[in-house]
Amino acid sequence: MKDDRGGQILLALLALSIVLVPILNSLPPDSALYLPTYTVTLIGKYLTLALLAVAVDLVWGYLGILTLGHGAFFALGGYAMGMYLMRQIGDRGVYGNPELPDFMVFLNWQELPWFWQGFDQFWFAAIMVMLAPGVLAFVFGALAFRSRVSGVYLSIITQALTFALMLAFYRNEMGFGGNNGLTDFKDLLGFSLQSDSTRIGLFIASALALAFAYLLCRYLMQSRLGRVCVAVRDAESRARFMGYRVENVKLWIFTISAMIAGVAGALYVPQVGIINPNEFSPLNSIEVVVWVAVGGRATLYGAVVGALVINYAKSYFTAELPDIWLFALGGLFVLVTLLLPRGITGLLRPKEAV
């Protein structure tokens, strides 16, 4: 972490994109430099997924916890934002009910559930975006880490957690839209989600959130806490013998990581226009681990690179090679693992770097 050239490049590129993307989007459509709003939204979505990858790298790269359940925290943040957006629809829904979302009217719900109360206020939704995944991570971590569950067993439990949540959210009686989830959003803070300016604003918010999360994680990992995290990762028993409360270190870093994932989910939902139980799928969490591995663990910026490269490749292969795109992505992962064991960013880093 002493040489943070990669991080400096990342922050510079994010700052440059915040300036250039709105300018390019405002050019005439017939200009060679014109950037369509669709592309702006696609880049914004990639940045939210990169933010999720940073959250995973924080716990996997620096604590050695291979989490296969961060998709759950991402989805919870997304649902919190989706609930706010649904409340903003009001009487503009299909059934014209000013209080109940359309799916509740369709299912003959008579009143708004208690856990939907308050989501008509943005400040409340913003708090829940971080509080919901943070509380879940804290409770889960307190039980798992203080029981000294680790290794593959912890990975399996995190995967079981997100799978259980996926099954629960599929149920209509849970009050989250069931299989269809939450969609047909109209406004965010009074601004139409279909307007170009709102899309630009969401892109800028995603870029700023990624930059802030990177700086926060970098600060934590360069502090005394970060050195303890690396010690726990490399020799947990020795760190415990030296008197460190290993379970507390794991718990707080895991909770912070979950809250970052929740923010990523909240920024993702208004840009894609839907949130449903598929976001809880364990496969999504496994994909994030692949992004981090391809980009390079324990770098933070490597997670961003991996997320952007893999998701761009996914978009390209699904359009150009729809029948074999999964094999192409798998082949990319195998090649990087064999030829670049330290990830793509390993080419830029000295071997002694953490």
Side-chain angles (χ1 to χ4, degrees):
M1 289 293 291
K2 293 181 180 180
D3 181 8
D4 195 38
R5 180 177 61 173
Q8 294 170 359
I9 293 174
L10 169 64
L11 294 174
L13 289 176
L14 288 174
L16 185 63
S17 68
I18 289 174
V19 174
L20 286 182
V21 167
I23 295 175
L24 297 179
N25 181 254
S26 65
L27 295 175
D30 56 354
S31 172
L33 298 177
Y34 173 68
L35 189 66
T37 303
Y38 167 79
T39 305
V40 174
T41 301
L42 188 63
I43 298 173
K45 185 185 79 169
Y46 290 165
L47 292 181
T48 63
L49 297 176
L51 181 57
L52 174 60
V54 169
V56 171
D57 192 25
L58 183 64
V59 293
W60 186 33
Y62 292 96
L63 267 180
I65 299 174
L66 178 56
T67 170
L68 300 180
H70 259 55
F73 308 130
F74 178 83
L76 286 176
Y79 265 97
M81 177 57 69
M83 292 165 73
Y84 164 77
L85 295 174
M86 291 296 288
R87 293 297 306 274
Q88 298 308 298
I89 296 175
D91 58 5
R92 292 174 294 172
V94 175
Y95 298 101
N97 191 305
E99 289 293 328
L100 299 181
D102 283 338
F103 75 89
M104 291 186 183
V105 178
F106 178 78
L107 294 172
N108 294 319
W109 288 54
Q110 300 303 313
E111 59 182 5
L112 198 67
W114 64 269
F115 49 83
W116 276 76
Q117 302 294 335
F119 278 96
D120 55 335
Q121 302 295 324
F122 179 79
W123 65 267
F124 181 82
I127 292 175
M128 295 307 296
V129 160
M130 294 185 288
L131 187 62
V135 169
L136 176 62
F138 185 85
V139 173
F140 174 85
L143 295 173
F145 300 140
R146 291 177 182 176
S147 299
R148 299 194 180 184
V149 179
S150 60
V152 66
Y153 303 104
L154 182 61
S155 299
I156 293 173
I157 293 175
T158 57
Q159 190 175 45
L161 172 67
T162 188
F163 186 71
L165 286 171
M166 180 184 71
L167 295 180
F169 273 71
Y170 267 122
R171 300 175 66 88
N172 286 326
E173 57 267 31
M174 284 286 291
F176 297 104
N179 182 62
N180 296 320
L182 309 177
T183 187
D184 195 29
F185 308 132
K186 309 290 187 187
D187 301 329
L188 175 61
L189 292 173
F191 299 98
S192 172
L193 287 174
Q194 306 307 317
S195 69
D196 291 353
S197 59
T198 305
R199 295 290 177 173
I200 291 291
L202 287 169
F203 163 79
I204 293 175
S206 300
L208 290 175
L210 178 57
F212 177 78
Y214 173 81
L215 290 173
L216 172 63
C217 295
R218 180 171 174 267
Y219 171 77
L220 289 174
M221 292 304 104
Q222 287 188 326
S223 68
R224 182 170 178 268
L225 175 61
R227 293 192 290 272
V228 174
C229 288
V230 174
V232 171
R233 180 195 67 188
D234 295 340
E236 180 176 337
S237 59
R238 291 185 181 181
R240 195 183 300 276
F241 180 76
M242 292 294 292
Y244 291 106
R245 295 293 299 273
V246 170
E247 60 274 10
N248 290 347
V249 173
K250 289 183 176 182
L251 179 60
W252 287 110
I253 295 298
F254 189 72
T255 302
I256 292 171
S257 173
M259 295 170 71
I260 294 174
V263 173
L267 290 168
Y268 174 85
V269 168
Q271 296 186 81
V272 301
I274 188 173
I275 177 71
N276 60 43
N278 286 332
E279 298 299 338
F280 284 103
S281 172
L283 180 60
N284 292 344
S285 297
I286 296 173
E287 275 194 32
V288 183
V289 172
V290 173
W291 304 343
V292 176
V294 168
R297 287 175 56 194
T299 61
L300 298 176
Y301 60 82
V304 176
V305 172
L308 297 179
V309 168
I310 294 296
N311 281 284
Y312 174 78
K314 187 176 180 179
S315 298
Y316 174 80
F317 288 137
T318 51
E320 301 296 329
L321 304 169
D323 295 329
I324 63 170
W325 72 272
L326 279 174
F327 299 100
L329 287 179
L332 175 63
F333 176 61
V334 171
L335 286 176
V336 170
T337 302
L338 293 177
L339 302 179
L340 301 171
R342 299 169 66 235
I344 296 173
T345 58
L347 297 173
L348 305 175
R349 291 180 289 136
K351 291 185 178 181
E352 67 273 15
V354 173

